[in-house]
Amino acid sequence: MIDLLIVGAGPAGLRAAIAAAENGLHVSIIDEFVKPGGRLLGQLHEEPDGSWVNGVEEAERMYHRAIQLGVEISTGVSVYDLAETPAGWSIYTTDGVRESRCLLLATGASETPIPIPGWTLPGVMSIGAAQVMGNVHRVKPGHKGVVIGVNVLSVAIAREMQLCGVTVDRIVLPAHNLISADASNPEKMMESLLRLSHLAPSSLMKIGGKFVSPKLAARFYPRNGFKIWGIPIQLRKTALEIIGEEQVRGVRIAAISATGSVIPGTEEIVDADFVCIAGGLTPMAELAAVAGCRFHYVPQLGGHVPLHNERMQTTLKGLYVAGNITGVESAKVAGAQGRVAGLSIADELGVLSAAGKEKIKEAVDQTVHTRKHALIQFNQGIEEARHALYTEFQQLTDKKISV
Amino acid sequence: MKSMRVQEHPILGNSEKKEAVTIYFDGKPYTAYTGDTVASALLASGVRTLRKHEETASPRGIYCNIGHCFECRVQLNGSETVRACLTTVADGMYVTSLTLPKGASI
Ligand SMILES: Cc1cc2nc3c(=O)[nH]c(=O)nc-3n(C[C@H](O)[C@H](O)[C@H](O)COP(=O)(O)OP(=O)(O)OC[C@H]3O[C@@H](n4cnc5c(N)ncnc54)[C@H](O)[C@@H]3O)c2cc1C
Ligand code: FES
């Protein structure tokens, strides 16, 4: 039996493994992807000072540190079930059953699909798929594409595709349906776009600065959009249908009013050999549900999340969570949470000194600090929502103790 | 066809030279490079359709590229069903599409 098994070799899992192994724990990580690093692998961001954060390199650094500390990392292995045992946890994987005293779920987030007529055609993919194709596998998702869905991820990845030599023709809104909901409404999208101004200061400031309210901005938004890095962002255009027989040939688009209704007679077809759908991210918490964790719905964190405290403990003994499974945030925050989890587990297993215990507090503070300064904020009100969640956890465990 | 490989990149640098291998998809040989997934190798060769839908026979390819959606399922070496986006290539690998033969039903 090992001390700690971690599901997920993203920034949260890797940093947790490093922190736990530095304190002498025997740690294994399992990940189903072809190499360690999780979604950090495809990331490529320009910092305000002009330097680039290269996710592939960051992931390699963490991986080597973990290996140096004796952490075992298996890739290409999926975990599909978990069971609590008297001594800890049984973990069912495609490579047999593993036993561990503690278990950390660091499974990250998944993309929310938006079904649009034609979306099953080969050549239609999620925006994250294009990121991984281009930046990790170094294969272009296509030569000329249309992105459907305007959010922080789609704008960032459109830029990354451009760096791969791919033409991103334009970014438009998805057609209005039950699932696209707010994502098809220009006013709502303007609101979220204004939060991106730090990523593309000059072009967004022009729009954002001129209009005080997102409502006004959406109404007076130029019909052909404005450009970021030369890519037209068209909040007043909607994708009605993806067309093609054997694979994508183009997208049928139309102009829409500020509240999202299609303006008759404005339909046109844009040629493209691929289409990316960007529906946003949601925590991937199935394994926590299988384990029997208590859940809470927190929109600011991207959906249903396992109830946990700031030390990354869940309501189940020996079961911890870290990273995007606890809420959608940037890779640096996920990593900081991972460190907290690794130290908390070392504490539960009784290997932390008094000085080590101090480190948990420091790591919790570091997470809050990292969140505050994160370049990419997926949602607003994250810190407040987290605070409420931790209070809820506290009340629940207090209640348990008093009965 | 213009190359689908990203050989040069202003920030990630140039692609490292990798060893070429041959994989077979529905009997046809394709050149792939070590480290490729079945999905990325086929896309690099211009192949987007990995299977036909079991009921409607509509063509399907990758969607998420990271193992979540199972849209990319293919058959490996005549037996196992795997996700093309999570399977790395090996020389001589034999991949077949899960298309049902004409007249077959499920
Ligand atoms: C497609 C996509 C693109 C993203 N792009 C960006 C971006 O450009 N910028 C940004 O700041 N953030 C981005 N994010 C957010 C991203 O989630 C965080 O930046 C960060 O990577 C989260 O770290 P993590 O360790 O929590 O999870 P991840 O980095 O997602 O790692 C989780 C790992 O767990 C593995 N896993 C999950 N379930 C299982 C299982 N059952 N069995 C075995 N292994 C499993 C996965 O294979 C994965 O490697 C993106 C997220 C997604 C989903
Ligand atoms: S494309 Fe989604 S699982 Fe492979």
Side-chain angles (χ1 to χ4, degrees):
Chain A
M1 161 127 24
I2 57 164
D3 296 319
L4 170 60
L5 188 133
I6 300 175
V7 188
L14 286 171
R15 293 241 2 232
I18 293 168
E22 278 173 346
N23 285 287
L25 295 188
H26 182 184
V27 186
S28 286
I29 311 184
I30 293 181
D31 196 301
E32 64 180 354
F33 195 59
V34 294
K35 47 179 145 180
R39 303 289 75 81
L40 176 59
L41 284 174
Q43 295 181 24
L44 200 56
H45 298 305
E46 194 174 8
E47 296 277 321
D49 68 3
S51 65
W52 287 85
V53 181
N54 176 348
V56 176
E57 279 174 7
E58 298 243 316
E60 264 168 26
R61 260 199 297 277
M62 284 193 265
Y63 170 74
H64 288 304
R65 175 75 185 134
I67 292 294
Q68 204 179 40
L69 289 163
V71 175
E72 293 145 12
I73 303 181
S74 327
T75 53
V77 178
S78 306
V79 173
Y80 61 86
D81 200 7
L82 307 167
E84 212 171 341
T85 65
W89 289 87
S90 289
I91 299 97
Y92 296 81
T93 82
T94 48
D95 188 33
V97 186
R98 316 265 180 112
E99 305 284 338
S100 178
R101 292 166 76 192
C102 284
L103 174 61
L104 170 65
L105 300 178
T107 49
S110 63
E111 281 189 74
T112 312
I114 306 176
I116 294 162
W119 77 310
T120 59
L121 279 170
V124 181
M125 64 192 87
S126 73
I127 189 83
Q131 183 183 46
V132 171
M133 248 341 153
N135 296 350
V136 183
H137 301 316
R138 306 289 297 261
V139 173
K140 296 176 192 176
H143 295 295
K144 178 177 173 233
V146 171
V147 175
I148 302 176
V150 178
N151 54 46
V152 53
L153 208 57
S154 73
V155 176
I157 298 177
R159 164 68 166 157
E160 293 170 18
M161 286 196 267
Q162 234 180 10
L163 293 171
C164 285
V166 173
T167 304
V168 179
D169 189 74
R170 65 187 75 203
I171 308 181
V172 299
L173 293 188
H176 182 73
N177 61 36
L178 266 177
I179 295 168
S180 62
D182 278 356
S184 62
N185 182 318
E187 281 176 10
K188 293 270 162 48
M189 284 301 100
M190 195 66 218
E191 222 172 276
S192 65
L193 204 54
L194 290 182
R195 274 189 278 130
L196 282 177
S197 48
H198 61 291
L199 280 183
S202 49
S203 28
L204 272 166
M205 241 44 132
K206 249 188 267 156
I207 297 276
K210 206 156 45 181
F211 306 109
V212 236
S213 82
K215 238 195 170 96
L216 274 183
R219 189 150 319 143
F220 295 107
Y221 195 82
R223 184 170 273 198
N224 285 317
F226 66 100
K227 290 181 180 178
I228 299 185
W229 300 299
I231 305 169
I233 303 202
Q234 303 183 318
L235 287 181
R236 296 288 297 272
K237 293 273 167 76
T238 189
L240 296 172
E241 186 190 7
I242 301 162
I243 56 169
E245 290 71 40
E246 288 304 309
Q247 58 185 53
V248 172
R249 199 157 49 77
V251 183
R252 194 156 60 83
I253 65 170
I256 48 176
S257 72
T259 50
S261 33
V262 173
I263 301 168
T266 59
E267 283 183 24
E268 58 178 309
I269 285 174
V270 182
D271 291 336
D273 67 342
F274 78 101
V275 168
C276 292
I277 295 182
L281 300 176
T282 193
M284 200 161 71
E286 283 83 352
L287 285 176
V290 167
C293 282
R294 192 182 264 262
F295 271 75
H296 265 270
Y297 180 68
V298 188
Q300 296 91 329
L301 297 178
H304 292 273
V305 294
L307 188 57
H308 62 281
N309 63 10
E310 65 269 276
R311 292 175 58 124
M312 301 291 128
Q313 287 172 299
T314 68
T315 48
L316 301 176
K317 186 169 163 30
L319 183 67
Y320 289 73
V321 285
N324 277 200
I325 185 178
T326 74
V328 175
E329 300 194 63
S330 73
K332 282 186 184 156
V333 179
Q337 289 179 319
R339 180 169 155 73
V340 174
L343 292 171
S344 301
I345 293 163
D347 192 29
E348 172 170 335
L349 295 179
V351 297
L352 276 196
S353 60
K357 285 179 199 286
E358 265 309 298
K359 281 205 195 126
I360 301 186
K361 206 189 155 304
E362 274 170 38
V364 169
D365 291 344
Q366 187 60 39
T367 308
V368 175
H369 177 84
T370 309
R371 175 170 299 130
K372 211 178 257 157
H373 295 94
L375 191 61
I376 286 191
Q377 306 269 3
F378 287 92
N379 290 303
Q380 281 176 303
I382 293 177
E383 192 55 48
E384 296 74 10
R386 284 200 169 274
H387 189 72
L389 195 72
Y390 303 154
T391 309
E392 178 84 26
F393 183 96
Q394 187 66 41
Q395 281 164 354
L396 189 85
T397 39
D398 285 351
K399 233 187 272 160
K400 260 199 205 153
I401 293 164
S402 63
V403 283
Chain B
M1 193 183 74
K2 266 195 295 177
S3 170
M4 294 285 277
R5 298 261 176 196
V6 183
Q7 307 284 9
E8 291 158 13
H9 192 291
I11 293 116
L12 295 173
N14 295 351
S15 286
E16 301 161 39
K17 259 217 135 15
K18 299 261 177 73
E19 194 195 330
V21 298
T22 304
I23 63 166
Y24 296 85
F25 180 59
D26 285 342
K28 247 181 93 178
Y30 293 93
T31 301
Y33 294 90
T34 45
D36 281 350
T37 61
V38 170
S40 71
L42 288 176
L43 178 60
S45 299
V47 177
R48 290 192 185 274
T49 302
L50 299 176
R51 67 185 176 95
K52 295 277 168 73
H53 187 265
E54 291 82 350
E55 279 173 33
T56 60
S58 60
R60 299 299 169 98
I62 62 150
Y63 182 75
C64 75
N65 205 17
I66 53 170
H68 295 169
C69 72
F70 285 73
E71 277 293 279
C72 65
R73 51 189 183 266
V74 290
Q75 201 167 51
L76 189 60
N77 300 326
S79 55
E80 247 184 305
T81 299
V82 297
R83 286 165 279 181
C85 71
L86 293 187
T87 307
T88 38
V89 297
D91 197 33
M93 186 179 249
Y94 201 82
V95 182
T96 38
S97 130
L98 286 164
T99 312
L100 286 180
K102 261 206 162 67
S105 62
I106 40 171

